[in-house]
Every structure is written in structure tokens, then in C-alpha cells.
Amino acid sequence: MQQIRRVFRWVMFILAFGLFHYVLPQHDVVRVTSTEIIRTDFSGFNRLFYAQADSGAAELTTRDLRLINTEKQKTFLLGFVPRDSTEIMVYRNEDSGWIWPPYFKFDSSNLQAEAQSLVANATEPQYAMISHYGWRIPFLSIYPNAVAIKPVDGPDYYPIPWFSILFFIFVGFCIGMIRAMFRQFRERTVDPLLDSAEDQYTETRGRVGRWLDTWKSK
């Protein structure tokens, strides 16, 4: 039983980690190389990883998809530690609207224009910070969704994920409050009921034992 609980906790931790890693904002320092619009046909699986059509447009199984092509610095430890090499990263640019995750993004056209204005070549690089959510999975044609972009001084700019830090502090505070409330509820309600049930069981068992003893004496 203890092993099953341990496995269940690990599964829940992995699912929660994956959910938070997907929906929480991440920040990449990139060099925008180009922007483009492609026609995309969604499959039954990768459709889950895309947002909705632009606000005011009809939702279809195929539609135009804005992409922002960049070159970003490689990192490890979930982006906290930069490396000396670079890699290609492609972001989609879609309205998230009122659906999940709640970024309430309605300005994809403006963001595409901002990204286009930051296009630079390798000889005269211009760097920008893209805030996004989601994952890049090439073999499923899944891209992270860019939600904001702004120019920065250079590739050594280090964005501090204040929102994620405050979010996890808030989550930790809520977990601590829930545990404290459950502990109080158990001490005030559950434990007295269990003690009462145990006393009742002991008393009943004693009565039955005494009744059986009267038969033995005969």
C-alpha cells in the first residue's frame, strides 16, 4: 500500500510539473530572423496544443498560422542557466482569447508587426525577449505561443521570472493553509469520531466477552 501511495504521488507530481511548465510564462532572449504565415491543417492530437482562431474569425480545421522564426541561446535547468551555443526556435503567434491558459491575448497582428520590426541579420544583430507558453515538439508540429516581445540590449540579458516565482510562493502558501485546515479538521472532527467508535467497539466487545463467560461457567 505504501508503494502504491508513493507511485501515485510521483505521478501527480509529474502531471502538475508538466502542467505548470506548459502554462506558466517563459522568457527567451532571441534574435528574430524572419516571420511568416503558413497554412496549417490540424490533426486530432496536436489540435489540443493550439489556441483558437483570431478574435472575430471562424474556427476551422485548417487556417493560417503566424510564425516567428528566431535564433536563441541554449539553456539548461529549465532555462535558468545559459549556455554558449545557440539553437533555432520557432514560435506561433495566436490569440489565446478567453480560453485556457488565461493570457487574454487578442493582439496577434500587432505582435507580428513588432516581431517583423525586430528582424535582424547576424552581422548587425538585434536582440529581443519573447514571453511565451507551451512546448516545441517538432515531430508533432507543435510550437510555443508567443504572448509578448520587446527589444533588449544584448544576448546576456537575463529575465527574472517574477510571475512564476510569486505564483509558486502563492501555491506553497495555499498548500500550507490547506494542510493546516485539514489538520485542524482531523483533530477536531475525525479523531474524536474515531476515538468514540473505538471506545464503543471496546465496550461492545467487553460485553460480548462477559456474556460468553457466563455460558462457560455453566
Side-chain angles (χ1 to χ4, degrees), residues 7-19:
V7 171
F8 177 76
R9 289 172 182 171
W10 273 108
V11 170
M12 294 303 296
F13 173 79
I14 292 172
L15 291 176
F17 177 82
L19 175 65

Side-chain angles (χ1 to χ4, degrees), residues 109-128:
S109 298
N110 295 346
L111 182 61
Q112 195 76 2
E114 292 179 37
Q116 182 65 43
S117 69
L118 294 171
V119 173
N121 53 43
T123 57
E124 298 178 357
Q126 184 175 1
Y127 294 92

